[in-house]
Amino acid sequence: MPDDREAVSPEAGDGTIRIEVAYARPDRQVILPLVVPEGTTVDAALRQSEIDAQFPEIDLDNAKVGIFGKLTRRDTVLRPKDRIEIYRPLIADPKEVRRQRAGKNRKKPGKGDAQKAGDQASAKPAGEKPEGGAGSGKDSAGD
């Protein structure tokens, strides 16, 4: 009786390996398990998966792809347990979104802020040195 671990092994032992192809939209995510011949490239596995039949918006010729979150070339040879991820195009530049969000969260000075700043400034007038400190001209031993 074969061991259960052999049945789910990433290598089938017959010159094939097990991999996955993943694609996600906000409303639906799919991870397709595949068994492919050793030496299969990312591009060949994508075409074998026929994932574009489930998601017609995927342009397999131009979509960016990666393995476990790292961009990769289509001629990369797959290894056992690799997960090919197909990335959707960005709809907004992340840097610009952060700039806009930072601009909205930036607090505009109001009356209360100006008053607080004025109170802090009036606590020690500019140019006045603290008493008894170094360079004050007072000898602390003679006071």
Side-chain angles (χ1 to χ4, degrees), residues 16-79:
T16 61
I17 59 172
R18 295 177 193 273
I19 59 130
E20 297 175 331
V21 175
Y23 181 71
R25 291 189 316 211
D27 63 327
R28 183 173 171 218
Q29 299 83 36
V30 171
I31 298 178
L32 299 174
L34 286 178
V35 176
V36 297
E38 290 179 0
T40 298
T41 63
V42 169
D43 191 59
L46 286 171
R47 296 192 188 288
Q48 181 181 331
S49 75
E50 297 180 348
I51 196 162
D52 53 339
Q54 292 185 44
F55 298 95
E57 71 271 14
I58 298 175
D59 178 4
L60 281 182
D61 294 325
N62 297 310
K64 291 190 179 194
V65 295
I67 297 176
F68 291 115
K70 185 176 180 183
L71 279 177
T72 192
R73 294 172 32 152
R74 291 172 177 273
D75 61 353
T76 300
V77 175
L78 294 168
R79 297 185 299 189

Side-chain angles (χ1 to χ4, degrees), residues 127-141 143:
E128 185 177 308
K129 295 181 181 177
E131 292 183 28
S136 66
K138 294 184 179 181
D139 184 5
S140 58
D143 287 338

